[in-house]
Amino acid sequence: MKVEFEKVLPGEIEKRSFEIITEELDQKGICLDEKLAPVIKRVIHTTADFDYAESLYFSEGVLEAAEQAIRQGACIVTDTRMAMSGINKRTLAKFGGEVYNFMADEDVARIARENGTTRAVACMDKAAQIDRPLIFAIGNAPTALIRLYELIRDGKIAPKLIIGVPVGFVNVVFAKELIMQTDIPCIVARGRKGGSNVAAAICNGILYGMSDGR
Amino acid sequence: MKVEFEKVLPGEIEKRSFEIITEELDQKGICLDEKLAPVIKRVIHTTADFDYAESLYFSEGVLEAAEQAIRQGACIVTDTRMAMSGINKRTLAKFGGEVYNFMADEDVARIARENGTTRAVACMDKAAQIDRPLIFAIGNAPTALIRLYELIRDGKIAPKLIIGVPVGFVNVVFAKELIMQTDIPCIVARGRKGGSNVAAAICNGILYGMSDGR
């Protein structure tokens, strides 16, 4: 871990960061799947946490499914404003998609209160009304993942992809295990770690893999 | 790490999370300073990463200085939209403060290009023009911290607090070490880890400690 100043041009910082990540993965003897590596490395770049090299789960063919959905104009639904902020919306827009987040909506707050659920649950119900192909990027609320599981089971929604990376201590591991049991394409950070930044990094990792010049 | 479902009411999830964090810190034999504990636990809550129990550095009297600045209407400058999104702006507004982020400003992009710097550097220069007490919450760009160091050294800015928690691989450790050498009150995540989520969590930890009912 270098403490000395390293002269790197502004436009080269990200490239140099990825070089360092690649070198250190090699040193640790971790060999990533070639197709998945850019997404995994982007998460490590966002967190400086090499645990993700081993905790990220990708369902079979998930990147191909994600790319196809994005090319068909899929929109991304997040469970936080932070994740929404972090996603490169300009790159997504090239493919016709946009990002939705309903957490600050008044009807969401009211319905959550009436039903005794989290707002994240009410957001998933609201998203289920959208008649467009959807990708869910869940970086915060395990309750959102549990609700998604129920909506899928009941045939009320069929997401093109679930990025299930909530962080935390209450029902986080449980919720992630549920999502991995569905047959929906998914990327999950097993264990407690994750976050809105991780959710956004995975979205961007997929988008940058599809797009030159972002 | 529990995999089974734990029944917790929506309004109780955060409280339960903090109980689990407190229990596990005890089990690990980690004893936090009583005054700093709420902020450290909020970072662990945001990341599920107990490394922060040992990596977070607080300069002497920093929380008192931060609280005093916020009571005097200090504003928070962030280096990402994500950090801005994550800060509880309603609670900050109770004290008269607001959050600034200049990353998407056209003049920032232009000046950064002209000067061959990162946009984060140009943002710090722009922030130095603001005639209000300022707190800097830097979760992404070490170049922002390095520029802050230069502005402080040259007497061009005197922040009330620097939250120096950029994440990454290029000059991140170097930049954090620089900030810890100043006499500006600071909270720093030593090492490579950090992030916009961590920067926001520290801001919120301070704000919630000052405010009942958020």
Side-chain angles (χ1 to χ4, degrees):
Chain A
M1 199 150 67
K2 281 188 73 161
V3 180
E4 305 79 46
F5 181 72
E6 184 176 0
K7 178 83 186 158
V8 181
L9 290 171
E12 301 288 319
I13 293 173
E14 185 171 304
K15 180 166 158 269
R16 178 73 190 119
S17 300
F18 275 76
E19 285 170 5
I20 295 170
I21 293 166
T22 302
E23 284 164 21
E24 296 198 14
L25 284 166
D26 282 350
Q27 285 162 16
K28 290 175 199 291
I30 298 171
C31 185
L32 302 178
D33 177 279
E34 198 180 338
K35 175 85 182 160
L36 306 177
V39 176
I40 298 169
K41 288 181 188 174
R42 186 158 293 278
V43 172
I44 296 171
H45 175 253
T46 291
T47 57
D49 190 338
F50 284 86
D51 283 2
Y52 288 103
E54 296 182 325
S55 66
L56 283 177
Y57 165 83
F58 295 78
S59 67
E60 187 71 30
V62 63
L63 290 189
E64 293 78 0
E67 290 175 3
Q68 189 183 359
I70 291 166
R71 285 210 179 81
Q72 292 171 352
C75 293
I76 300 176
V77 178
T78 70
D79 66 330
T80 60
R81 303 281 302 177
M82 275 191 86
M84 189 187 200
S85 288
I87 296 168
N88 192 322
K89 289 166 283 292
R90 202 174 53 185
T91 304
L92 181 62
K94 287 186 193 170
F95 299 100
E98 56 189 303
V99 183
Y100 294 114
N101 177 271
F102 305 124
M103 284 297 279
D105 293 8
E106 279 181 28
D107 57 338
V108 161
R110 181 177 48 76
I111 292 168
R113 210 163 38 235
E114 286 170 6
N115 293 345
T117 71
T118 63
R119 281 184 296 150
V121 165
C123 285
M124 297 303 106
D125 289 338
K126 186 163 179 171
Q129 307 301 317
I130 302 172
D131 190 23
R132 294 178 70 166
L134 294 181
I135 291 169
F136 287 84
I138 307 299
N140 184 58
T143 55
L145 283 190
I146 296 169
R147 185 62 182 147
L148 275 179
Y149 173 82
E150 294 167 346
L151 290 166
I152 293 162
R153 182 196 60 198
D154 298 345
K156 292 183 178 162
I157 199 167
K160 298 298 180 187
L161 166 66
I162 297 177
I163 297 168
V165 295
V167 57
F169 297 87
V170 175
N171 295 328
V172 164
V173 177
F174 170 83
K176 289 170 174 173
E177 295 289 330
L178 266 189
I179 290 300
M180 287 189 282
Q181 287 166 24
T182 69
D183 55 6
I184 302 293
C186 68
I187 301 172
V188 172
R190 283 173 297 204
R192 284 172 167 172
K193 286 183 183 175
S196 299
N197 52 340
V198 173
I202 292 171
C203 292
N204 292 339
I206 296 168
L207 286 166
Y208 298 159
M210 301 171 62
S211 170
D212 290 337
R214 300 187 178 177
Chain B
M1 201 151 65
K2 282 188 73 160
V3 180
E4 305 80 44
F5 182 73
E6 183 177 1
K7 178 81 184 157
V8 180
L9 291 171
E12 302 288 318
I13 294 172
E14 186 172 303
K15 181 166 157 269
R16 178 73 190 118
S17 300
F18 275 76
E19 285 170 4
I20 295 169
I21 294 167
T22 303
E23 285 163 21
E24 296 197 14
L25 284 167
D26 281 350
Q27 285 163 17
K28 291 175 200 289
I30 298 171
C31 184
L32 302 178
D33 176 280
E34 197 179 337
K35 174 87 183 158
L36 306 177
V39 175
I40 299 169
K41 287 181 188 174
R42 187 158 293 280
V43 172
I44 295 171
H45 175 253
T46 290
T47 57
D49 190 339
F50 283 87
D51 283 1
Y52 288 103
E54 295 181 327
S55 66
L56 283 176
Y57 165 82
F58 296 78
S59 67
E60 185 73 28
V62 63
L63 289 190
E64 293 78 1
E67 291 175 4
Q68 190 183 359
I70 291 168
R71 285 211 180 82
Q72 292 172 349
C75 292
I76 300 175
V77 179
T78 70
D79 65 331
T80 60
R81 302 283 300 178
M82 276 191 84
M84 190 188 200
S85 287
I87 295 170
N88 191 321
K89 289 167 282 291
R90 203 174 51 183
T91 303
L92 181 63
K94 288 186 194 172
F95 299 100
E98 56 189 303
V99 182
Y100 294 114
N101 178 271
F102 305 124
M103 284 298 280
D105 294 7
E106 280 181 26
D107 58 338
V108 161
R110 180 177 48 76
I111 292 167
R113 209 163 38 236
E114 286 170 6
N115 293 345
T117 71
T118 63
R119 282 185 297 147
V121 165
C123 285
M124 296 303 106
D125 289 339
K126 186 163 180 172
Q129 308 302 318
I130 301 172
D131 189 23
R132 293 178 72 168
L134 294 180
I135 291 169
F136 287 83
I138 307 300
N140 186 59
T143 54
L145 283 190
I146 297 169
R147 185 62 183 147
L148 274 181
Y149 172 83
E150 294 167 346
L151 290 166
I152 293 161
R153 182 196 59 198
D154 298 345
K156 292 184 179 163
I157 198 167
K160 297 298 180 187
L161 165 67
I162 297 175
I163 298 168
V165 296
V167 60
F169 298 87
V170 176
N171 295 330
V172 165
V173 177
F174 171 82
K176 289 170 173 173
E177 295 288 329
L178 266 190
I179 290 300
M180 288 190 281
Q181 287 166 24
T182 69
D183 55 5
I184 301 293
C186 70
I187 301 172
V188 171
R190 283 173 295 205
R192 284 170 167 173
K193 286 185 183 174
S196 299
N197 53 341
V198 173
I202 292 172
C203 292
N204 291 340
I206 296 168
L207 287 166
Y208 298 159
M210 301 171 63
S211 169
D212 291 336
R214 298 188 179 176

